[in-house]
Amino acid sequence: MLFQAVILALAAIARAQSSLTLGNATYVAAGVFPTDAFASYYNSPTATNEQPQPVVTNVLTGQAFPHALTDPNNIPVNDTADPRTLPPSPLDPSLAGPLVQSAFNQILSLANPNNTAWGNNSNCARCLAGLEVGKSLAVASAGSVPTLAVQLCNYFKFSTTCEQTYGILALGQVITQVLAAADVGGYDGQNICNNFVSGLCPLPPPSPLNMTGYFAKPKPANASAPAPSGQRVKVLHMSDFHLDARYATFAEANCTSSLCCRANNPNSHSLNQVLLPAPRYGYFTCDTPYDLALSALQAIPALTGTEGTGFDFTVYTGDLVSHDPENELSQSLIEYTEASLYGLYKKYLGSGPLYAAIGNHDSYNQASDAPVMLGTQLGQANLSTQFSWNYDTLATLWENNDWISSDVAAMARAHYGGYSVARPDGLRIITINTDLWYKANYFNYINMTASDPSGMLRFLADELQAAEDAGERAWIIGHVLSGWDGSNPLNNPTNLFYQIIDRYSPHVVANIFFGHTHEDQFQIFYANNATNASAATAGAVAWIAPSITPLTNLNSGFRMYEVDSKTFDILDAHTWYTNVSSFHALDNQTAQGPTFVYEYSTRAAYGKNVSWPATAPLNATWWHHVTEEFEQNPSLIQQFTAYQGKMSVLSPNCTNPTCVAAKICYMRSGSGPLGKLCTQGFGSVQ
């Protein structure tokens, strides 16, 4: 451990410079797949009419994943090997059939519009009563709930793949656990009926937050960031790679449902003919094929000027795995993708460590991570550990790549994949699992009145206090953003997160990093819950990174920061992209691959009219001044919007006053409750 610390410190000193140079202005990727990316393949990796199929090894078992897992021509319909976790069922299984039929009939009666016994709030009351029926079945006969879910799906035509989506092999087991543990007639149920059942209940207000005694110490008087060193280091930020190992070159890129560029997903209006062949390097409706993945990883060192040196370190804000429909996912596909991509990052990005957070697609079922207390509530220990396989896999990969120590790996296994690293240069990296505040995670709908049922935010606050005590600066890394337009996070946990950031900003929290949206965005945190959002009260900023995947309607991109080596403030950010519109011209040839080009410098693009010292950081105060400039000159929001989609030809304009005001509001919203106060409908360019 001491040896590793010394090496890291020496490397940081060697890389630190008062001014940094970039690499090539543009990078044209090779047209032939680099065969040395993997040791062996199931097919010919240099073929231009199909994607490489590398042999990838499971880090926990040492066994190679079978070709059948990723064969684009034979995608599995439902995994049958993964364990299915259900609460204990006291009822005789022979009685399950009548119970399911009774529950089904009760719910149909509740849904009958001619049933007028529900008062003015009829839709919400019906929904809550239906959840109560489901809860009774989950408590009495847990294995029957997936059967009921499939029947209801078929009857109400929620999906054309009801068994594959809601059966025991998919979401059925998750729904059962949530029904059994949640307060479905109260706050939990109201949120479920708001989010999952067509908004039948109004969204309940955030729970009152009592912060008395929450922090170990009061905030120091006149807390401020340390003085800068004047030396800069390079830090890479990647996000949302979404590798699609099942990508089928020349399959339908204009499919009518789910993930395109898949051999099993045609355009329903033209089943016998491909309308738009999937380009070899990817398309706007598809995730990242191996050919694009390797082109990007080869471009990064050349463009950033880090060939032969590497970055001081890399931040990865989650989502490695493709957007497969639920029935095509499995633990094995998650493990395969994690092993494949983290191996490639180690190979292509140089010697500096990579610090990663779990994305909502880096789990199975997708977006699912359950608090440990669930097993205690339902009386079954394996419900507390049902996602440990993933934390074990990730911690092992990170440790084996020499990015974290064995002690930190043990921390990641115990904290839902989150961990803290106190680097020898004075920076504390804290990663958190934001599935635990993501609104699509079913398990978050248990005990929703609590702001932190998993303890993840308690862990964050304790680590920030340790950083304050040690005189360290901190970077926080997560996946799902905490605010923006409020459409992704839940209210209560992000409200607590906002208060934690306020307590430890600006003297401890130097920067926050998210991904998830696939877009280039930012959000500012203010004192006192943004009751007075101003330059004087701005405390921290979150950088939301562009994605490698083009999904949906975006170009592919990445970012590098110039960072002060003492304060760990960001002094400039550089973003590159490749034009997905040009990929059709690159098929069936090996002369060249995609061209990656420089998009913009953050300081140059947004700082032209902001009075700010040339050596001062791009901190929350600077960003607030930028939003004020947006208010004075609304045309700048159109420039921001172009960058938001990485110069995609498919990004919509934002020129009307409503859109401009909404986006400025999103930029100043760091929590779910604050984001929801903004005018909705302008959050994304997809």
Side-chain angles (χ1 to χ4, degrees):
M1 182 65 183
L2 178 60
F3 177 76
Q4 183 185 36
V6 171
I7 293 297
L8 280 171
L10 291 174
I13 293 170
R15 285 189 287 260
Q17 303 173 51
S18 58
S19 61
L20 296 178
T21 57
L22 303 181
N24 303 329
T26 62
Y27 178 84
V28 181
V32 178
F33 185 85
T35 56
D36 63 347
F38 297 93
S40 59
Y41 298 83
Y42 288 115
N43 67 348
S44 171
T46 59
T48 59
N49 62 345
E50 61 181 359
Q51 293 293 316
Q53 287 285 298
V55 178
V56 176
T57 301
N58 186 314
V59 69
L60 296 182
T61 67
Q63 301 296 311
F65 292 99
H67 184 213
L69 179 66
T70 57
D71 182 359
N73 297 313
N74 296 285
I75 297 175
V77 174
N78 264 125
D79 175 83
T80 58
D82 293 341
R84 308 296 157 183
T85 48
L86 292 170
S89 299
L91 202 66
D92 187 332
S94 65
L95 301 176
L99 275 179
V100 170
Q101 190 58 48
S102 174
F104 180 75
N105 290 338
Q106 289 180 66
I107 291 174
L108 290 193
S109 176
L110 292 169
N112 187 341
N114 295 321
N115 189 339
T116 59
W118 299 98
N120 293 331
N121 195 18
S122 61
N123 286 337
C124 185
R126 292 170 198 269
C127 185
L128 296 177
L131 292 178
E132 292 280 14
V133 173
K135 183 178 183 71
S136 297
L137 185 62
V139 171
S141 179
S144 301
V145 173
T147 303
L148 174 64
V150 171
Q151 285 190 12
L152 291 171
C153 173
N154 284 320
Y155 183 87
F156 289 108
K157 295 181 173 58
F158 293 150
S159 170
T160 58
T161 58
C162 292
E163 180 63 43
Q164 292 92 336
T165 304
Y166 296 103
I168 186 61
L169 298 180
L171 285 172
Q173 57 170 336
V174 175
I175 293 170
T176 304
Q177 293 181 59
V178 174
L179 285 173
D183 174 19
V184 298
Y187 194 82
D188 293 348
Q190 293 170 41
N191 278 279
I192 292 171
C193 289
N194 175 267
N195 186 49
F196 292 112
V197 200
S198 302
L200 292 182
C201 283
L203 181 68
S207 300
L209 189 60
N210 183 2
M211 299 300 294
T212 303
Y214 186 85
F215 298 114
K217 300 176 182 179
K219 187 172 184 175
N222 302 317
S224 60
S229 68
Q231 302 296 308
R232 303 186 184 199
V233 295
K234 293 180 176 180
V235 176
L236 176 68
H237 187 180
M238 288 194 305
S239 195
D240 295 85
F241 214 99
H242 290 291
L243 175 70
D244 186 3
R246 295 165 170 171
Y247 188 104
T249 304
F250 305 138
E252 182 59 73
N254 186 29
C255 66
T256 46
S257 66
S258 191
L259 187 63
C260 298
C261 302
R262 290 290 186 88
N264 66 344
N265 197 15
N267 187 303
S268 61
H269 304 296
S270 181
L271 297 179
N272 299 317
Q273 181 182 1
V274 173
L275 299 179
L276 182 64
R280 176 184 167 197
Y281 290 99
Y283 194 63
F284 292 119
T285 53
C286 314
D287 271 327
T288 306
Y290 266 114
D291 280 325
L292 175 58
L294 269 296
S295 297
L297 289 174
Q298 290 177 299
I300 288 170
L303 292 168
T304 57
T306 58
E307 291 178 297
T309 62
F311 298 95
D312 197 61
F313 58 91
T314 293
V315 168
Y316 186 74
T317 46
D319 269 6
L320 304 160
V321 182
S322 52
H323 291 78
D324 284 54
E326 196 71 47
N327 62 289
E328 294 178 7
L329 288 167
S330 64
Q331 290 185 15
S332 292
L333 185 63
I334 308 301
E335 293 167 325
Y336 166 95
T337 308
E338 290 169 344
S340 177
L341 279 182
Y342 283 131
L344 289 173
Y345 296 168
K346 178 67 174 179
K347 183 178 181 70
Y348 285 93
L349 298 181
S351 58
L354 180 147
Y355 304 114
I358 291 179
N360 59 292
H361 285 276
D362 304 334
S363 183
Y364 177 69
N365 297 105
Q366 60 182 302
S368 294
D369 280 291
V372 170
M373 59 81 182
L374 178 63
T376 303
Q377 286 181 299
L378 296 178
Q380 195 157 320
N382 67 337
L383 299 180
S384 300
T385 59
Q386 60 188 301
F387 297 101
S388 294
W389 60 271
N390 199 21
Y391 311 143
D392 290 346
T393 297
L394 290 169
T396 301
L397 286 166
W398 297 334
E399 181 184 359
N400 286 357
N401 283 335
D402 296 321
W403 296 334
I404 60 174
S405 67
S406 59
D407 291 344
V408 174
M411 185 188 300
R413 292 184 178 94
H415 290 85
Y416 312 98
Y419 60 86
S420 176
V421 175
R423 288 169 50 89
D425 55 10
L427 176 65
R428 185 172 295 238
I429 300 280
I430 308 168
T431 77
I432 56 175
N433 183 343
T434 56
D435 280 356
L436 299 167
W437 71 41
Y438 185 35
K439 78 171 189 179
N441 180 3
Y442 285 82
F443 290 109
N444 287 337
Y445 292 78
I446 301 169
N447 193 20
M448 291 196 77
T449 54
S451 297
D452 186 26
S454 70
M456 178 57 74
L457 295 177
R458 178 72 270 167
F459 165 76
L460 171 64
D462 291 345
E463 289 299 318
L464 289 172
Q465 184 60 57
E468 183 179 85
D469 292 343
E472 298 168 337
R473 295 280 271 165
W475 279 17
I476 300 169
I477 302 172
H479 177 67
V480 178
L481 65 174
S482 60
W484 189 246
D485 63 355
S487 62
N488 284 286
L490 293 172
N491 280 345
N492 286 347
T494 56
N495 187 21
L496 174 57
F497 177 75
Y498 200 99
Q499 312 317 311
I500 294 171
I501 298 305
D502 184 4
R503 162 63 182 82
Y504 293 100
S505 297
H507 61 303
V508 176
V509 177
N511 286 288
I512 305 165
F513 303 90
F514 294 125
H516 183 64
T517 65
H518 301 184
E519 300 177 20
D520 184 344
Q521 301 160 317
F522 68 91
Q523 58 185 37
I524 307 169
F525 296 78
Y526 299 88
N528 301 316
N529 220 37
T531 50
N532 174 25
S534 67
T537 62
V541 63
W543 301 74
I544 303 160
S547 63
I548 297 293
T549 183
L551 193 73
T552 305
N553 295 335
L554 303 169
N555 283 325
S556 176
F558 57 89
R559 174 180 293 146
M560 185 192 76
Y561 302 109
E562 294 188 41
V563 179
D564 184 273
S565 63
K566 180 181 177 182
T567 66
F568 302 98
D569 284 323
I570 291 171
L571 298 165
D572 204 353
H574 306 279
T575 307
W576 291 264
Y577 77 100
T578 183
N579 184 1
V580 175
S581 303
S582 69
F583 286 178
H584 277 293
L586 302 177
D587 293 335
N588 294 319
Q589 57 87 45
T590 57
Q592 66 179 53
T595 298
F596 290 81
V597 299
Y598 187 73
E599 186 180 18
Y600 75 107
S601 151
T602 300
R603 182 181 285 273
Y606 296 133
K608 297 173 184 175
N609 299 311
V610 174
S611 178
W612 199 248
T615 57
L618 307 187
N619 58 17
T621 304
W622 183 83
W623 277 110
H624 183 82
H625 286 311
V626 170
T627 63
E628 291 177 326
E629 190 62 29
F630 288 161
E631 289 176 320
Q632 296 299 314
N633 186 359
S635 64
L636 293 175
I637 285 289
Q638 180 54 36
Q639 179 188 30
F640 170 86
T641 300
Y643 293 149
Q644 191 176 348
K646 292 161 281 182
M647 309 304 289
S648 171
V649 296
L650 299 179
S651 293
N653 292 328
C654 182
T655 54
N656 69 75
T658 303
C659 178
V660 169
K663 287 204 176 182
I664 294 171
C665 185
Y666 304 153
M667 296 167 187
R668 295 173 177 175
S669 299
S671 70
L674 291 175
K676 290 179 178 69
L677 295 176
C678 303
T679 300
Q680 297 296 293
F682 301 98
S684 175
V685 296
Q686 298 178 49

